[in-house]
Amino acid sequence: MNLSNKVVLVTGASSGIGRAIARAFSECGARVIVHYRGDRQKAEETLASMAGGQHLIAQADLIDPEDVKRLIDMVVREAGRIDVLVNNAGVYDRHPISRIGYQEWQEAWNLTIGTNLLGPANLTFCAVEHMIKQMSGRIVNISSRGAFRGEPLAPAYGASKAGLNAMSQSLAKALAPHNVFVFVVAPGFVETERVARILASEEGEAIRRENPFGRVAKPEEVARVVIFLASDAPDYMTGSIIDLNGASYLRT
């Protein structure tokens, strides 16, 4: 897939799924902005692993609306435009309702909703201002199967991803007349640093057993779907939510 001269912002690209997505875009010829929140060294490692040149690193706290605006302004100032936004950055914080206090509960919800839903909403708003002027753009949001099957140990995570799905479909309708298209990828468990401890435990064995492949997804598999949606997917697919969970959870 040829994405030459396309400018792509990938949030949460310092590791895991985001790193795989950034690398995949670079291999297709795109100019990639690698976003990170706190670990610049890991972001630089992502940059060093990417093909081609002229890629950038950008720091921003996505919970802060002003930081979000500054990030998009920087992308457009340095690269001249923004063609693709991949809202990948997210947090998964376990907060079982029967085992924690009220303050911890509030902190978990504020962090999770702020990062996983309000951050993408604000990023999308700021990016779309430029995409509408260009009369072109694609937005790919990374959701989760947890939006559909529930997350009893992390209900704010499930709620944030369900909200992301609903937002994506609402904006797909709103933006289609402007030639801006919105897609969602909803993976199950993916083999990343964030969940390495879980996957190495007995719980990880149970997770693999529930999948007919006997394994979880690789970050590169998510990246391949994102590349398709950002490039070759028909415009008429806008609003689609693509499940990527190895048939471990099937929606009806």
Side-chain angles (χ1 to χ4, degrees):
M1 297 176 188
N2 189 348
L3 286 162
S4 296
N5 303 317
K6 297 294 185 183
V7 176
V8 181
L9 170 60
V10 182
T11 66
S14 60
S15 63
I17 296 172
R19 175 177 287 179
I21 293 171
R23 292 180 64 181
F25 273 110
S26 74
E27 290 164 3
C28 294
R31 185 178 187 186
V32 183
I33 291 79
V34 174
H35 160 265
Y36 72 99
R37 182 177 67 87
D39 196 329
R40 183 178 178 88
Q41 182 177 341
K42 284 191 174 182
E44 289 177 345
E45 289 171 3
T46 297
L47 191 68
S49 72
M50 291 163 60
Q54 294 191 311
H55 309 301
L56 301 171
I57 292 178
Q59 187 278 334
D61 183 349
L62 302 185
I63 293 180
D64 183 344
E66 291 305 313
D67 244 16
V68 166
K69 185 177 185 304
R70 178 185 58 78
L71 173 60
I72 297 296
D73 288 346
M74 185 279 288
V75 171
V76 174
R77 183 178 64 252
E78 295 295 328
R81 58 188 292 117
I82 179 167
D83 298 294
V84 179
L85 168 63
V86 181
N87 282 310
N88 165 75
V91 296
Y92 177 88
D93 177 38
R94 288 188 168 183
H95 48 281
I97 192 169
S98 61
R99 303 181 208 163
I100 63 171
Y102 187 41
Q103 183 175 344
E104 292 174 276
W105 177 259
Q106 292 177 72
E107 289 171 353
W109 277 85
N110 289 335
L111 173 64
T112 306
I113 298 298
T115 305
N116 295 2
L117 181 56
L118 296 181
N122 291 333
L123 275 162
T124 299
F125 181 93
C126 294
V128 161
E129 285 188 308
H130 300 281
M131 290 177 174
I132 287 177
K133 292 175 186 175
Q134 299 164 186
M135 276 300 291
S136 68
R138 293 200 169 201
I139 298 160
V140 183
N141 295 322
I142 307 301
S143 179
S144 169
R145 70 177 180 180
F148 305 106
R149 72 170 199 165
E151 291 286 348
L153 298 179
Y157 180 80
S160 70
K161 295 302 187 178
L164 187 64
N165 292 347
M167 181 192 82
S168 301
Q169 294 186 318
S170 296
L171 294 181
K173 288 190 172 188
L175 295 172
H178 301 282
N179 207 39
V180 177
F181 307 110
V182 186
F183 310 92
V184 181
V185 182
F189 263 90
V190 182
E191 195 174 287
T192 65
E193 296 174 11
R194 187 176 70 176
V195 297
R197 182 181 58 79
I198 295 173
L199 293 176
S201 68
E202 290 184 9
E203 183 182 353
E205 289 299 317
I207 290 167
R208 284 184 283 273
R209 282 196 301 271
E210 71 184 15
N211 192 302
F213 287 87
R215 65 174 179 85
V216 300
K218 295 178 171 60
E220 292 76 16
E221 291 173 310
V222 181
R224 286 168 59 189
V225 178
V226 172
I227 293 293
F228 168 71
L229 294 174
S231 56
D232 289 347
D235 300 346
Y236 212 68
M237 278 185 67
T238 193
S240 296
I241 301 174
I242 309 300
D243 292 320
L244 189 72
N245 62 52
S248 63
Y249 184 79
L250 300 175
R251 294 186 285 139
T252 56

